[in-house]
Each structure stands twice: as C-alpha cells, then as structure tokens.
Amino acid sequence: MHPFTFSRATHLAAAISAHAQDPQLAFIAGGTDLIGLMKDRAIVPDRLLDINGLADMSRIEVLPDGGLRIGALARMSDVAADAEVRRRFPVIAESLLFAASGQLRNMASMGGNIMQRTRCAYFRDEDDLPCNKRRPGSGCSALYGLNRNHAIFGWSDECVATHPSDVAVAFAALDAKVLVHGTGGERVILFNDFHRLPGKTPERDTVLDRGDLIVAIEIPARAEGRASHYLKVRDRESYEFALVSAAAAVAIDHGRIASSRLALGGVAHKPWRLWTAEAALRGLSLRELDALKAAIATSFTDARPLTHNVFKAELAQRVALRALQIAGERA
Ligand SMILES: Cc1cc2nc3c(=O)[nH]c(=O)nc-3n(C[C@H](O)[C@H](O)[C@H](O)COP(=O)(O)OP(=O)(O)OC[C@H]3O[C@@H](n4cnc5c(N)ncnc54)[C@H](O)[C@@H]3O)c2cc1C
Ligand code: SF4
C-alpha cells in the first residue's frame, strides 16, 4: 500500500484551496471506492483530506418547488430510507437500494457515489495492464480483450469502459444538477454534462477541476417523479454492479404518455439518456407494445456493441421497456 497522510477538513474554503494547490491530495468521504483504488494502485494520493466534518453537507431537504436537495455527504442508506425521497422520486430510492451492500451503503456518500470510478477489470488490475484511464497512453486492454461488461454507446478507441453508479442513472433521467464549490465560487452543473465520454482523455471521468468539491445534488420537481422506477440486471442478485439498468419516469394523460424520462446504466462511460426514444414515446399508450418497442429502438441506431457484449443492445431495450411499464403502473 502506498504510504499517505490523513487530515480532517473543518472549513470548506480551506479544503477547496488545499485540493486546488496540491495534486497529490484526494478528498475522502466514506472511502469505500477510494481505499479500494489505492489498494489496487489505480490511484496513489500522498495525502487524504477527510471531508466528513464539513458542515451542512449531509442534509436531505425538500425544495420550495417540490424538488429535493441531497447533501453530498448524505449516506446512500439515509437517502434510500428518506420518506420524501421514496414518495417524490421512487427511482432514486430504488437505484440506491439495488446498489452495493447494506454495510457499504451505510458508509458511502452521495458525492462519492457519483465520483466512483469504472469497474473495468483492467483499470482495477494491480498488475498494471495497459489501460489509458489508469496510465494515459498505455493502450486499452478491453478494446480487443474481455469486454462483456463494457460500453455499447459513446466509446472511443482509447477507452470502452462504463460508469458504474446506479443512482447517477436516476439523476440523469431526472435532469438533476450537481452543486459544486471551487476556487471560483459556486457553480451548477447539469447532471447530463457532469460525466464525460472518454474521447482522447479517458483518464477524466467528469468535468470537475482540481479544487472542486461537490456540496449537493438537486433534483427539480418533476411531473414524472412519482411514477418512476429503477430496474437493474446484474449477474448475481446479492450485490453486484449493473450489467444493464434503466431509470424510467413517466407522466400519463388520458391514458397516453404525456412525457417520459429514460436513462440507461452499464452501457456507456456516463449514464445514457434515451432522448430520441423519449420524443418518440410521446402520445403512445402503455398498452401499445409494438409501438413502445419501436419508439425505444429509435435510441439504438447508434449502438456499437463490442465483441463480447452484442447481447446488451437487445437487453437494454427490454430493460428500458420494462422499467417504463412499471413506472407507468404507478402513474
Ligand atoms: C463491493 C462493492 C460493491 C459496490 N456496488 C455498487 C453498486 O452496485 N452500485 C453502485 O452505484 N455503487 C456500488 N459500489 C460503489 C459505492 O457505492 C461507492 O464506493 C460509494 O458510493 C463511494 O462513496 P464514498 O463516500 O465511499 O466515496 P470515497 O471512496 O470516499 O470517494 C470516492 C471518490 O469521490 C471523491 N469524492 C468524495 N466525495 C466528494 C465530494 N463531495 N466532492 C468531490 N469529490 C468527492 C473522492 O475524492 C474519491 O475520488 C460498490 C462498492 C463496493 C466496494
Ligand atoms: S476500457 Fe478504459 S478503463 Fe478499461 S482498459 Fe480500456 S482504457 Fe482502461
């Protein structure tokens, strides 16, 4: 294990300034991803700054418009159990409950969750196999290697990894916002702009810069919020990352879809929103099965499966459809 020092942050501005000035310093919240990455030597910070003592960052609040503000230090288990979260946005609570294990959810923070790094086995491999995300310029072992769990959308020759967070998929579907404090003050990042596609710089997962600290995630009030569902397909039921998942939310008017929100997990370097399908679904009844399938298929014309994950294109469409149907039953 790489040696490191550990200190505790008590003031937001000081934490931001320390992180901005010191490239070897990492924020630590629950530590459930960071410590694993350090053991695998995928990242080797010299200094850890514990942010758990920062004030006002673990609250879960209802906003005046009926939306929610979830502090970055709120624990996954607390958010999943919160009555307002469950009532207003079941898709958020479900995505959290299907993630990790009970013990992990008690430790893991919401900020850390959306910052967690890919589970690509080559990235996590302590033997330091070629991986552009781990060691830029070294190559991508997964492109022609084992890529069953990898992307079918938006990948580049530099990296075909997927983003692993479940709740990020729900946040993407709901057009959440990430509230960030940095050296230039506070800014708001739309959730769909928060994670990046790999392009030529797969080592960068998000648009955050040094000195940026996530303080909260806001979910605006949504007509579709209550009729929402998260469906996750994984290789084992006990606890496992998503092979493919879908967050769906829908508003029904006179038996027809007035609006819908659909995002997929396990298929791209970021949560993958099905924008085209959402437009094509408008006006359909949830009973028109063939039309629903055709509408969802419009978002798959640019799918590019790899050698071992051709099945994902079909699976993802089925998961999206089923998630939509279950969400619709709640409308
Ligand atoms: C065995 C196992 C199974 C898992 N299964 C799932 C699963 O099925 N689904 C799922 O979604 N997740 C899963 N996870 C991941 C887990 O949810 C994350 O590890 C956890 O949410 C990370 O939160 P943390 O507070 O522990 O983050 P940390 O490990 O403390 O930090 C993670 C990263 O986030 C950064 N960070 C933390 N807080 C902030 C902040 N406020 N601002 C800026 N940067 C910050 C840290 O610097 C670090 O880079 C699993 C993890 C394990 C170990
Ligand atoms: S897919 Fe990305 S993370 Fe995995 S080996 Fe290739 S570059 Fe590394």
Side-chain angles (χ1 to χ4, degrees):
M1 183 94 175
H2 179 75
F4 59 90
T5 64
F6 180 89
S7 56
R8 290 194 168 90
T10 46
H11 292 99
L12 189 71
I16 289 167
S17 162
H19 193 269
Q21 287 167 24
D22 182 355
Q24 293 308 320
L25 180 144
F27 295 137
I28 182 164
T32 61
D33 194 37
L34 185 61
I35 298 297
L37 289 164
M38 289 168 68
K39 286 182 179 169
D40 294 338
R41 297 195 302 276
I43 48 175
V44 282
D46 293 337
R47 283 165 286 284
L48 297 187
L49 185 58
D50 179 352
I51 57 173
N52 289 294
L54 295 178
D56 294 333
M57 277 178 51
S58 48
R59 281 209 300 261
I60 305 164
E61 298 165 80
V62 177
L63 297 169
D65 73 348
L68 283 178
R69 185 183 207 270
I70 300 174
L73 289 174
R75 265 39 200 185
M76 289 170 71
S77 49
D78 292 331
V79 180
D82 186 274
E84 294 297 343
V85 174
R86 295 166 70 97
R87 193 166 68 84
R88 289 165 197 268
F89 301 103
V91 64
I92 295 178
E94 290 167 353
S95 68
L96 290 166
L97 287 173
F98 283 119
S101 64
Q103 290 94 331
L104 283 161
R105 293 194 296 270
N106 285 341
M107 280 300 287
S109 69
M110 296 298 287
N113 186 289
I114 63 171
M115 288 294 286
Q116 65 176 290
R117 308 209 64 193
T118 183
R119 303 309 292 195
C120 172
Y122 300 107
F123 172 70
R124 301 259 169 180
D125 192 298
E126 58 187 75
D127 287 338
D128 218 6
L129 294 167
C131 170
N132 289 321
K133 193 181 276 297
R134 184 174 171 122
R135 213 159 18 97
S138 61
C140 172
S141 294
L143 184 57
Y144 299 110
L146 296 174
N147 49 38
R148 175 177 179 269
N149 292 337
H150 290 69
I152 59 170
F153 290 112
W155 52 267
S156 71
D157 285 352
E158 312 293 322
C159 180
V160 294
T162 54
H163 177 71
S165 163
D166 287 297
V167 75
V169 182
F171 287 153
L174 296 168
D175 281 328
K177 297 169 186 169
V178 186
L179 274 53
V180 175
H181 271 277
T183 47
E186 185 175 330
R187 67 187 198 282
V188 177
I189 303 170
L190 296 179
F191 205 87
N192 284 293
D193 297 335
F194 182 74
H195 295 101
R196 299 177 65 254
L197 289 179
K200 298 265 178 226
T201 50
E203 66 276 16
R204 291 192 61 211
D205 293 344
T206 72
V207 296
L208 293 192
D209 291 321
R210 290 231 44 99
D212 282 341
L213 180 78
I214 303 165
V215 291
I217 297 124
E218 279 190 7
I219 305 99
R222 294 281 169 222
E224 310 91 346
R226 289 185 197 198
S228 62
H229 180 60
Y230 188 72
L231 184 60
K232 177 171 175 177
V233 174
R234 46 190 168 172
D235 281 329
R236 60 174 181 192
E237 274 301 302
S238 58
Y239 70 97
E240 186 53 278
F241 291 89
L243 194 54
V244 169
S245 67
V250 65
I252 304 285
D253 186 22
H254 291 91
R256 306 222 155 242
I257 297 174
S259 58
S260 64
R261 299 171 165 276
L262 277 176
L264 295 175
V267 297
H269 200 256
K270 59 187 288 183
W272 196 254
R273 189 80 179 262
L274 303 186
W275 301 103
T276 322
E278 289 176 15
L281 285 165
R282 200 166 298 132
L284 296 181
S285 152
L286 284 171
R287 295 208 189 94
E288 295 171 314
L289 202 53
D290 289 342
L292 294 176
K293 284 182 186 170
I296 289 171
T298 60
S299 275
F300 283 77
T301 52
D302 56 348
R304 288 186 299 146
L306 299 158
T307 318
H308 303 126
N309 68 10
V310 175
F311 69 95
K312 271 196 183 184
E314 172 68 23
L315 178 62
Q317 291 178 68
R318 292 186 188 201
V319 173
L321 174 64
R322 191 68 195 118
L324 182 74
Q325 287 174 319
I326 297 172
E329 286 164 14
R330 297 172 173 175

